[in-house]
Amino acid sequence: MSAICTDVAALGQQHNPLLQKKLFYAAVFTAVMMLLEIIGGWYLHSMALLADGWHMSSHLIALGLAYCAYFVAAKYAHDPRFCFGTWKIEVLAGFSSAILLFMVAVLMFYQSVERLCFPAEIQYQQAIVIAVLGLIVNLICAWLLHDSSVHHHEHQHQHQHQHQHQHQHQHQHQHQHQHPEHDLNRHSAFMHVVADALTSVLAIIGLTLGLYFGWQFLDPLLGIVGAILVLRWSIQLIIQCSKVLVDAEMDHPLVQRIRHDLQAFSTGLQIEDLHLWKIGQAQFSCMLRISGISLQDFHQIQHLLQHYPELAHVNIEPQFRTE
């Protein structure tokens, strides 16, 4: 048995100074608005406004985490101790940010329920002004982070492989697949902004209806609704980030594509072991052990796997058949 290591694509961390600058500006806007909403919500007795302010504090920490993660990942990008690069530093920051989002959502829910049970007089007009300012800041931050953070687009491409074997047998097939990939660190920061914008909108609705119709209960009630939605988003982010951190990637469509191509390559080929784990935003490392192949088959399999741009590092362990 021999081990063959093939670098199919170059690994490397791409430092993005523009993104870090956007994160810094978003953090400054958020810090100013956070203080204004917390002080205003406490003084004006608005639970929705106060909840939005406290949530903006988590948003500020999330932006700081994202900024630091990019800085550290770029600093240690060429450190030999990180055998598969420093991308998971960014994922770890996104995971921490998602946990923080979850904790703040629980606090929002608790405080909203408490204010619903024990209502206080609200100075609606002043609170509405601050809530509108908060929404404007959130929209600015969302604009700063949106264009590169969320790529929920459908990506289609085709692979066409043609293999010729000793028996002049040809396999020709096409794959169409969709796999949205996004930066989990930046996505976590962006979701904080979206959650802030949502709570700002709910605060404006609750305060406005309370002002004109006297529905004082609506302010904390919408705070509860916003907390539940933020809880849901935070859980989704925790699942996405933790899946990467624990290398739970064997359900990825790429696994089935590779398995299908190898099985179609030769009837005598047996896949003894196949492992994939993510080492970049859209990059995987692959460990493959196969048996029942010839030396010529082995070289053709190497060539086959080079057509997968997602594979940044491939380790093949062949067991050759006896002629």
Side-chain angles (χ1 to χ4, degrees), residues 206-237:
L207 291 169
T208 302
L209 294 177
L211 174 63
Y212 290 103
F213 298 98
W215 296 346
Q216 192 171 357
F217 69 91
L218 196 59
D219 179 70
L221 183 62
L222 290 179
I224 294 175
V225 173
I228 293 174
L229 291 175
V230 174
L231 275 172
R232 180 181 177 185
W233 293 340
S234 65
I235 292 173
Q236 290 175 345
L237 280 173

Side-chain angles (χ1 to χ4, degrees), residues 34-68:
M34 176 197 71
L35 292 175
L36 185 60
E37 286 197 333
I38 291 177
I39 296 173
W42 186 271
Y43 179 75
L44 301 173
H45 304 292
S46 169
M47 191 60 244
L49 190 59
L50 186 61
D52 189 34
W54 281 116
H55 182 249
M56 289 194 81
S57 68
S58 73
H59 169 39
L60 178 61
I61 296 176
L63 291 174
L65 280 173
Y67 182 90
C68 292

